[in-house]
Amino acid sequence: MFERLQKVMSKYGVASRRKCEEMITAGRVKVNGCTITEQGFKVDKEKDIIEVDGKILNSMDEKLYILLNKPAGYITSVKDQFGRPAVLDLLKGINTRVFPVGRLDYDTEGLLILTNDGDLTYMIAHPKHEINKTYRALIRGKVSHDDIISFKRGMSIEDYTTAPALLEIIRFSKENSVVDITLHEGKNRQVRKMCSEIGHEVIRLRRIRIGELSLGSLKTGEWRYLNKSEIEYLKKLGGC
Ligand code: URA
């Protein structure tokens, strides 16, 4: 399949498409040994050999890193017994098999990373790295100082005690509050259970950050490739 050179480069995680165009114009890119400076040049990534600054981008080890703004009503596993829609259904045009890094509940929205880089998946998901994840939640009721302390101290849920977490009030009305919750653990439905423990039902839950990686302007249901510095940042976070 023929695609624009800058698109293929950005898929490989070289940089954003815009930056790749600049690299092409600057004469830093070769296709099959010839320097290409023309914008709109098309390549077949299965067959053509693309070099950037003398380094070959090899489709055999093509690693894809995707950031999806997950809508509610999608499962993060590949498929389930009830035939519900899966996040992979949202990745139109991706022929490579990618997997979610960690999971979000069926009814949770927001930032989800998907990749075929097994090392990164393992490292990011590993609890020893204590990577902060921030969730914006609409919860029933008003948050008290004691609630904030409970999050900070850790609380008993089922058979475990939660690690210290941050509960920040963003705004509130008579009935509801919008809060940001930051924790580094990722136990099953942990945010919902922690909120329920302090007497606040979660009405809407959206992950807005993993470390410093955020959704930016990505709309619900949209996805994009991570750029090179974001990939490097994630690798560093996971200690790869
Ligand atoms: N905590 C939850 O309760 N649900 C999620 O999807 C993620 C974190």
Side-chain angles (χ1 to χ4, degrees), residues 13-150:
V14 173
S16 67
R17 279 192 207 176
R18 181 74 193 276
K19 196 98 191 69
C20 289
E21 282 169 9
E22 288 170 17
M23 293 166 97
I24 294 167
T25 307
R28 293 169 60 186
V29 186
K30 284 184 183 174
V31 176
N32 302 327
C34 298
T35 302
I36 303 295
T37 50
E38 173 198 333
Q39 296 299 329
F41 189 86
K42 291 202 168 163
V43 289
D44 181 342
K45 68 181 167 64
E46 305 303 326
K47 296 195 184 121
D48 293 321
I49 296 172
I50 305 163
E51 279 173 73
V52 179
D53 295 333
K55 194 165 171 259
I56 294 178
L57 310 181
N58 185 347
S59 70
M60 294 302 284
D61 351 297
E62 183 184 18
K63 295 275 188 275
L64 297 182
Y65 302 89
I66 289 166
L67 192 155
L68 169 74
N69 187 349
K70 177 193 175 297
Y74 283 79
I75 53 162
T76 46
S77 38
V78 176
K79 58 177 169 195
D80 78 345
Q81 64 195 106
F82 308 110
R84 293 176 296 182
V87 287
L88 295 183
D89 301 337
L90 297 164
L91 304 180
K92 301 264 155 41
I94 306 263
N95 304 318
T96 308
R97 193 68 179 266
V98 289
F99 299 91
V101 177
R103 57 180 301 285
L104 288 177
D105 299 332
Y106 177 71
D107 41 0
T108 301
E109 305 163 50
L111 197 162
L112 185 69
I113 295 164
L114 299 108
T115 180
N116 56 348
D117 182 340
D119 293 339
L120 184 78
T121 306
Y122 175 78
M123 300 303 269
I124 293 285
H126 201 291
K128 80 171 179 195
H129 293 296
E130 302 195 346
I131 295 169
N132 279 336
K133 284 149 245 156
T134 302
Y135 298 84
R136 180 149 298 177
L138 171 65
I139 60 176
R140 236 178 263 295
K142 246 185 185 169
V143 170
S144 68
H145 183 66
D146 284 352
D147 294 337
I148 295 171
I149 300 296
S150 298

Side-chain angles (χ1 to χ4, degrees), residues 104-105 108 135 189-192 205:
L104 288 177
D105 299 332
T108 301
Y135 298 84
R189 297 182 78 82
Q190 187 169 345
V191 171
R192 291 172 200 278
L205 186 61

Side-chain angles (χ1 to χ4, degrees), residues 181-229:
I181 294 165
T182 302
L183 39 73
H184 59 74
E185 294 176 304
K187 301 226 165 53
N188 187 33
R189 297 182 78 82
Q190 187 169 345
V191 171
R192 291 172 200 278
K193 286 176 185 169
M194 287 172 83
C195 290
S196 157
E197 188 62 29
I198 55 166
H200 300 285
E201 183 201 351
V202 172
I203 302 166
R204 186 177 176 198
L205 186 61
R206 188 158 49 102
R207 182 156 66 194
I208 56 170
R209 269 196 305 280
I210 294 182
E212 282 164 24
L213 203 67
S214 64
L215 284 169
S217 57
L218 208 61
K219 297 201 176 73
T220 306
E222 286 183 351
W223 62 271
R224 66 170 176 84
Y225 291 106
L226 293 181
N227 63 36
K228 202 172 180 186
S229 58

